Amino acid sequence: MNRNRSGNPFKSHKYPLRVRLFFATARTFFGILGRVAPKLTGKLALRLFMTPPRFPARRRESVAEQNSDHQFQQINGQRIAVYRWGEGEPILFSHGWGGRGSHFHALVEIIVEAGYQAVTFDAPAHGQSSGKRTNMLEVTTTLVALAGSLGPLKAVIGHSFGSGIALLAMNRFQIEAEKLILFSCFDDIYWVTDQFGEAFAMNQRVIGAMRDEAQRRYAKLLGKTWQWRDLSPLKTIQTIEHEILLLHDRQDLEVPYHHAENLLAVARQARLHTTNGLGHKKILRDQSCLQTCLEFIQQPLSGIPVTNSRGSTDDQNHQQ
């Protein structure tokens, strides 16, 4: 597999000055402490790793939330914000790290107009949901609980971190869904932790201690013992028999494009829709992507495995 290290999801944002100062201070702290006490530093690193940034909703996102059937549900001891639009067969969305359910507002609008019910949620420690820290395992069990309350799903749609969540949920809990759509999906959980460590000047002993602490602390959260490699989309996607649509931009600075190529290479039945110039987030609002998603959802299941293939490329230049 191509393991090009270009792009870092923890460094590619345009952060305000106070956040940049925090990064500089944290890099110094983890760099020094990690050399003398890697196990302790690993525990502190895990706390930071599980703390997502919270951003205020943009105007279009706020409008979408206000126009939804907005409820709070108690799931696994957390107060989870759930948003619903429309009626018909349900489609469940899983947002990215530091995101919120309303990030899918453009696709939700098209889905509802086509006669489906769109359901999004704010993951624990995100948006309007409770909590200060969360992790991939906790968000997965949240998605599984929501999926169980909705019954058979027409599709599950994820973005970035949320794509990994969707794959893990279908791999470990076999939730009922006809199809799977993955925007900007990373391919390897080790890559995520390595990029996190690089962003905060952590050495490999600290990163290893962080992984060990997470595995010890959350050993049974998926119902049975797990290893780090079990969380990687490169592994989980190989077990999925559903039709999969991957969408990824060649200029994605947070999750480089080769991740999509690697996933396409090992998936049982998948197709890849490529864009140019949309980056990591604008891809969620691009009309060609939205239309491709709708057509994929509406296409009847043939019962014949889909050959792994590359979809059309949007050659139009878009501003980042």
Side-chain angles (χ1 to χ4, degrees), residues 76-198:
N76 301 326
Q78 296 279 14
R79 187 170 182 259
I80 302 299
V82 180
Y83 312 90
R84 302 170 190 257
W85 298 264
E87 299 178 354
E89 294 177 282
I91 295 174
L92 181 58
F93 294 77
S94 178
H95 66 76
W97 187 252
R100 56 200 305 136
S102 54
H103 279 180
F104 291 103
H105 63 85
L107 184 52
V108 162
E109 184 176 340
I110 287 181
I111 291 298
V112 171
E113 287 179 355
Y116 299 101
Q117 177 187 181
V119 182
T120 72
F121 68 101
D122 294 339
H126 289 75
Q128 298 187 47
S129 294
S130 65
K132 294 182 178 180
R133 283 172 288 278
T134 192
N135 55 67
M136 194 172 180
L137 312 179
E138 183 179 52
V139 180
T140 296
T141 58
T142 301
L143 184 143
V144 169
L146 276 174
S149 69
L150 294 170
L153 302 170
K154 184 66 177 179
V156 176
I157 302 176
H159 174 239
S160 192
F161 169 77
S163 292
I165 296 296
L167 284 168
L168 186 58
M170 297 186 79
N171 166 257
R172 281 278 172 147
F173 298 96
Q174 292 79 51
I175 62 176
E176 290 188 76
E178 284 189 10
K179 298 183 179 183
L180 185 59
I181 297 176
L182 307 175
F183 284 89
S184 313
C185 187
F186 64 98
D187 65 2
D188 184 12
I189 192 64
Y190 285 98
W191 175 83
V192 175
T193 53
D194 285 345
Q195 295 297 285
F196 173 78
E198 191 274 334

Side-chain angles (χ1 to χ4, degrees), residues 204-216:
Q204 284 299 316
R205 292 176 66 194
V206 172
I207 298 171
M210 182 183 75
R211 292 176 183 140
D212 291 344
E213 176 64 15
Q215 200 163 322
R216 181 194 65 79

Side-chain angles (χ1 to χ4, degrees), residues 13-26:
H13 301 276
K14 294 180 179 179
Y15 290 117
L17 177 60
R18 61 180 178 81
V19 178
R20 295 200 301 272
L21 290 174
F22 166 77
F23 265 76
T25 302

